[in-house]
Amino acid sequence: MVKGLLNRVKRRIKGEDNNSGNSASSAGSTIGPLSSMLAPSGRITLASLKWFFNESGRDDFIEFVQNPVLAGSALNEESIAAAENSGEELVDKTQMINVYKTHIVNLDDQPSKRSGPGASLPYAIYPLMKRTDSESPASIFTIGRTRNNDMSMKDMAISKSHAVIRILKGSFFIEDSGSTNGTKLNGRHVGDKPVLLHDKDVIALGSYEFTFLLPSSLHDLLSKY
């Protein structure tokens, strides 16, 4: 099923599907080929990206991804192969009792030492694309623990409304939403004022780190394997 969907996406990008409209428009648009492939959490599987990477050229891959992604801290040159063996995020229903209560964490803790619903976050990939059922404004990506966020991160270290990424004239900015455990950009605290993001910036949400990768950098990372 994934292969069939990605084949249709490739046809759309190449202009062979007349029903595609402007689904693969310039960077900054929040609806594109990836939109229908996103999980309810806003994530895409590494397996799907690697399949398309293997089946397409660099330019097609970049146009397919279209916008930057947030890649978990485990998705680096040393450990990306191991990520293929990690499952999709699992929801431990016994922990959902506390879904409305954020836990204060020791920010020196390493994500790899954690267990529970957030254990897969180091392997997560969140494209900055809207799900087809998203109800938030097109230029805003909300990040938080609850399901109504564009990027849902089910871990008690993440606040219900943790941070926001905004798009302005094709550029991406991040701001904190008054979270309990804070947001950092390259080690510096982010407040409620938007801060411009650059390729390979490191974003810390509580005790979890994500790298902001342009599609070309994501392609280069995958090309090493």
Side-chain angles (χ1 to χ4, degrees):
M1 183 174 69
V2 171
K3 184 174 181 179
L5 176 59
L6 291 177
N7 278 332
R8 291 196 296 274
V9 169
K10 288 178 70 175
R11 290 197 297 271
R12 291 178 187 176
I13 290 176
K14 294 177 181 295
E16 297 172 7
D17 186 342
N18 293 329
N19 296 323
S20 61
N22 295 320
S23 62
S25 56
S26 61
S29 172
T30 55
I31 295 293
L34 244 62
S35 296
S36 60
M37 299 177 63
L38 300 181
S41 61
R43 291 167 59 165
I44 188 169
T45 65
L46 179 62
S48 297
L49 284 177
K50 289 195 72 175
W51 187 91
F52 194 85
F53 170 86
N54 291 329
E55 295 294 321
S56 63
R58 190 173 192 272
D59 290 343
D60 279 348
F61 180 86
I62 290 172
E63 192 168 2
F64 167 63
V65 177
Q66 191 170 324
N67 282 345
V69 305
L70 298 188
S73 58
L75 300 180
N76 53 46
E77 297 181 14
E78 290 74 27
S79 59
I80 194 171
E84 290 184 288
N85 298 321
S86 70
E88 285 299 288
E89 59 185 344
L90 301 176
V91 179
D92 184 348
K93 294 183 179 179
T94 62
Q95 295 197 29
M96 293 307 290
I97 297 173
N98 295 320
V99 71
Y100 293 109
K101 181 179 179 181
T102 303
H103 291 181
I104 299 175
V105 300
N106 180 352
L107 297 185
D108 292 329
D109 288 347
Q110 296 298 316
S112 60
K113 295 179 181 178
R114 294 186 173 276
S115 60
S120 65
L121 286 178
Y123 301 100
I125 301 173
Y126 291 92
L128 291 175
M129 299 294 291
K130 289 286 188 179
R131 300 190 313 273
T132 54
D133 63 346
S134 176
E135 297 181 356
S136 61
S139 62
I140 295 176
F141 287 86
T142 58
I143 302 172
R145 187 171 69 247
T146 53
R147 191 181 181 89
N148 61 309
N149 288 284
D150 294 302
M151 301 181 190
S152 176
M153 302 180 181
K154 296 182 177 69
D155 188 88
M156 294 301 108
I158 305 296
S159 295
K160 289 187 297 180
S161 298
H162 198 104
V164 170
I165 292 179
R166 300 182 186 275
I167 304 176
L168 179 61
K169 296 182 179 179
S171 295
F172 296 79
F173 299 79
I174 190 167
E175 64 188 68
D176 188 71
S177 298
S179 65
T180 300
N181 292 310
T183 301
K184 291 183 179 180
L185 178 61
N186 299 323
R188 295 191 175 187
H189 284 283
V190 173
D192 59 1
K193 305 284 186 178
V195 181
L196 179 64
L197 292 168
H198 300 89
D199 189 31
K200 299 182 182 178
D201 277 348
V202 176
I203 299 168
L205 303 166
S207 56
Y208 292 98
E209 289 188 347
F210 295 87
T211 304
F212 178 84
L213 293 177
L214 296 179
S216 56
S217 292
L218 178 62
H219 181 277
D220 293 344
L221 178 62
L222 294 177
S223 70
K224 294 177 169 59
Y225 305 94

